[in-house]
Amino acid sequence: MKKKVLVTGFDPFGDDHVNPALEAVKQLNGKTIEDVTIVAQEVPTVFHESINVVIEAIKIQQPDVVICVGQAGGRTQITPERVAINVDDARIPDNQQKQPIDERIDPDGPAAYWSTLPIKIIVQQMRKAGIPSAVSNTAGTFVCNHLFYGVMNYLEKHASHIRGGFIHIPYIPEQTVKNNAPSLSLNLIVKGIEIAAVTAAHEKEDIREIGGAIH
């Protein structure tokens, strides 16, 4: 049976002129791997509007899986996120100069939502392909976590048959020319997200293996 995976990527924010999340998902848009078709959606790096854009894309595309992708500058690996928390605490303003501090995303929502992606199998499959990957236990408190929480909140209430989650990716090399930060090539990032999409479409149950962190 054919599957559809919606992948989303943010536009550039802060001082960056490129966002590897958007560049990666654009390369995957319309691609079919085995029985899995990937469709991409650009997302504004804006509180609340980002959630609305993805919810609308979910309604239009009716995917089996939603994977939101965001940049986490400074990370060395592609990191599927385990949990989204119900708080906005923005270190910098978003692309509409909004900077919520210590605000709940949904005043009536739970403290957190778990990813419903098979995050440890995704990590396993990326590593088999030679791509640095690890489970992350914090999606931050900026628009990435905001979107992750908002999407999971929507799916829980309105489309529980759709599985969803979030993956953070490192910088690409062109972003690190002047700042000595780690990076991965765009090709590796694209391959990693492709693996995540196909794995998530095929694997409903995750595995139990060591993947925790001390901090």
Side-chain angles (χ1 to χ4, degrees):
M1 184 179 295
K2 291 187 177 181
K3 302 283 188 179
K4 182 187 286 187
V5 178
L6 172 65
V7 293
T8 76
F10 289 103
D11 61 3
F13 65 93
D15 295 327
D16 288 313
H17 300 294
V18 64
N19 191 321
L22 179 57
E23 299 309 309
V25 303
K26 284 196 300 187
Q27 289 197 23
L28 291 169
N29 187 41
K31 193 169 184 179
T32 298
I33 306 99
E34 300 172 28
D35 59 344
V36 180
T37 297
I38 301 173
V39 291
Q41 174 66 51
E42 180 174 346
V43 182
T45 306
V46 177
F47 289 100
H48 299 293
E49 184 181 344
S50 56
I51 296 173
N52 294 335
V53 166
V54 177
I55 288 174
E56 186 63 25
I58 291 169
K59 291 177 179 178
I60 292 170
Q61 297 293 343
Q62 292 295 305
D64 299 283
V65 179
V66 181
I67 301 176
C68 301
V69 183
Q71 168 189 298
R75 292 194 186 181
T76 59
Q77 303 161 303
I78 298 178
T79 48
E81 297 291 346
R82 190 192 300 264
V83 62
I85 59 173
N86 190 7
V87 67
D88 290 331
D89 192 7
R91 178 180 57 84
I92 60 173
D94 69 10
N95 284 351
Q96 288 186 357
Q97 301 307 306
K98 299 172 185 174
Q99 191 172 5
I101 297 172
D102 297 337
E103 294 181 11
R104 291 174 72 91
I105 300 166
D106 180 350
D108 302 315
Y113 282 107
W114 300 111
S115 172
T116 51
L117 302 178
I119 57 174
K120 290 190 175 179
I121 299 180
I122 288 171
V123 167
Q124 182 187 74
Q125 293 304 311
M126 285 194 203
R127 288 176 174 177
K128 283 182 180 178
I131 301 170
S133 182
V135 170
S136 169
N137 296 300
T138 175
T141 55
F142 192 51
V143 185
C144 287
N145 174 79
H146 178 90
L147 176 62
F148 183 12
Y149 185 94
V151 168
M152 300 312 296
N153 192 27
Y154 172 78
L155 295 180
E156 172 79 12
K157 294 176 179 177
H158 304 287
S160 59
H161 62 287
I162 300 174
R163 288 173 293 124
F166 197 99
I167 295 177
H168 265 122
I169 59 173
Y171 286 134
I172 53 177
E174 68 184 79
Q175 295 175 282
T176 66
V177 172
K178 297 181 181 179
N179 64 11
N180 195 35
S183 65
L184 281 181
S185 72
L186 183 60
N187 285 343
L188 272 183
I189 291 171
V190 170
K191 184 61 179 177
I193 301 305
E194 179 184 301
I195 288 170
V198 173
T199 302
H202 288 158
E203 304 287 347
K204 292 186 178 181
E205 298 295 327
D206 209 357
I207 54 174
R208 289 172 63 93
E209 69 173 23
I210 295 172
I214 295 173
H215 54 78

